[in-house]
Amino acid sequence: DFDVAYFHSYAHVGIHEEMIKDRARTETYREAIMQHQSLIQGKVVVDVGCGTGILSIFCAQAGAKRVYAVDASDIAVQAKEVVKANGLSDKVIVLHGRVEDVEIDEEVDVIISEWMGYMLLYESMLGSVITARDRWLKPGGLILPSHATLYMAPISHPDRYSHSIDFWRNVYGIDMSAMMQLAKQCAFEEPSVESISGENVLTWPEVVKHIDCQTIKIQELDSVTARYKFKSMMRAPMHGFAFWFDVEFSGPSIGNQKKRTNPSDALVLSTSPEAPPTHWQQAIVYFYDPIDVEQDQLIEGSVTLSQSKENRRFMNIHLEYSSAGRSFVK
């Protein structure tokens, strides 16, 4: 039932318009396909969660022999029409159903998918990519993107706090500060998806989870825990933690050797505050009350991201943090 609601949400054209208009996202995927054209040309591809079919069409344009475009949402009906309108019905086969349920009667050479959710793992679509890999991908086959990394860092964001909370101190000359506690709960109870800049970030980021799409197992997604220790680069009020991710598009391994000699040569799509903006923005877990930190002050603790037992598309976040002898849990 939860999946029905989830896939139904992707039948709405607005969500696809937002993703396609995200130039950083769409153009990086197209560039990745063209960069790996030698591994796609004449080969069989699966596009997991194809949406409107744009990535499947890019693969067909790159010379793929056959592309299975799989989507459980009703948008698959439109995808089929888009494929037809572009004269690619002989190459791109749209399968309307879940990756776990549809049948493909051959091994595939390439899996492509735009599976990343907010904070990387929200919506849990990576599980479908892993399922497709284990069902159909030939040994040594190509997965795009090949790697993903989730980062976190403490932030200072006085403007956001002022806009949502301090506003109530004086409303048209009336003291409405009695609203502030409720305002904090409503504004900061759940993670907020918004854009910040590098200037908001107090420290270098730390890695929460690194994912190799060739080897990760579904069970690893049930719960992810990371310990962290940050050192503030400035004196500022700390308002919470920001999370963002990168995905990398690199070729398959040969033994333990990557095909590329230098990891920095790989094509990367980043949702960092320093990178061009994307529709993912950053995910921010705000504190109800800011903590004043001094330069070089340590901020340490742990974060656990776990799939909700009630609905695996949702994610629970458990954050422990301490600084200057005070400890907190959110």
Side-chain angles (χ1 to χ4, degrees), residues 231-236 292-299:
K231 186 187 274 193
S232 180
M233 295 192 287
M234 65 190 84
R235 181 184 186 185
D292 289 322
V293 296
E294 302 294 326
Q295 184 167 347
D296 295 331
Q297 185 169 318
L298 284 180
I299 303 147

Side-chain angles (χ1 to χ4, degrees), residues 48-225:
V48 177
C50 69
T52 53
I54 190 166
L55 301 185
S56 297
I57 289 172
F58 288 160
C59 288
Q61 289 172 340
K65 178 170 80 173
R66 197 160 30 259
V67 183
Y68 293 99
V70 184
D71 206 296
S73 158
D74 288 345
I75 201 71
V77 176
Q78 277 75 35
K80 197 170 282 192
E81 293 301 316
V82 170
V83 167
K84 187 176 170 184
N86 286 274
L88 291 168
S89 298
D90 58 330
K91 276 194 172 185
V92 179
I93 300 157
V94 179
L95 300 175
H96 187 183
R98 301 187 324 145
V99 160
E100 293 79 1
D101 302 328
V102 300
E103 293 299 329
I104 294 175
D105 295 328
E106 60 182 325
E107 287 188 306
V108 306
D109 306 279
V110 181
I111 291 174
I112 190 162
S113 180
E114 196 273 77
W115 54 264
M116 301 82 72
Y118 296 126
M119 214 164 165
L120 187 63
L121 298 174
Y122 178 65
E123 293 186 4
S124 306
M125 198 181 142
L126 177 56
S128 299
V129 176
I130 295 169
T131 300
R133 179 197 73 194
D134 294 348
R135 288 189 73 187
W136 303 308
L137 188 66
K138 289 178 182 174
L142 176 66
I143 304 179
L144 295 176
S146 56
H147 300 82
T149 309
L150 177 64
Y151 300 92
M152 71 181 289
I155 61 153
S156 183
H157 202 348
D159 289 351
R160 171 73 156 82
Y161 206 85
S162 166
H163 178 74
S164 300
I165 310 302
D166 292 337
F167 155 79
W168 293 104
R169 293 184 193 279
N170 182 336
V171 182
Y172 298 99
I174 299 166
D175 178 357
M176 299 193 77
S177 52
M179 294 290 295
M180 286 173 66
Q181 204 51 42
L182 179 62
K184 286 175 189 176
Q185 282 182 329
C186 293
F188 302 145
E189 187 171 13
E190 294 187 342
S192 175
V193 176
E194 58 187 81
S195 290
I196 57 170
S197 75
E199 292 172 5
N200 296 111
V201 182
L202 291 172
T203 70
W204 294 105
E206 288 212 2
V207 171
V208 176
K209 177 71 175 173
H210 180 71
I211 290 166
D212 181 334
C213 293
Q214 290 281 356
T215 58
I216 188 164
K217 295 180 168 55
I218 281 186
Q219 302 86 280
E220 286 181 60
L221 304 176
D222 291 345
S223 184
V224 170
T225 298

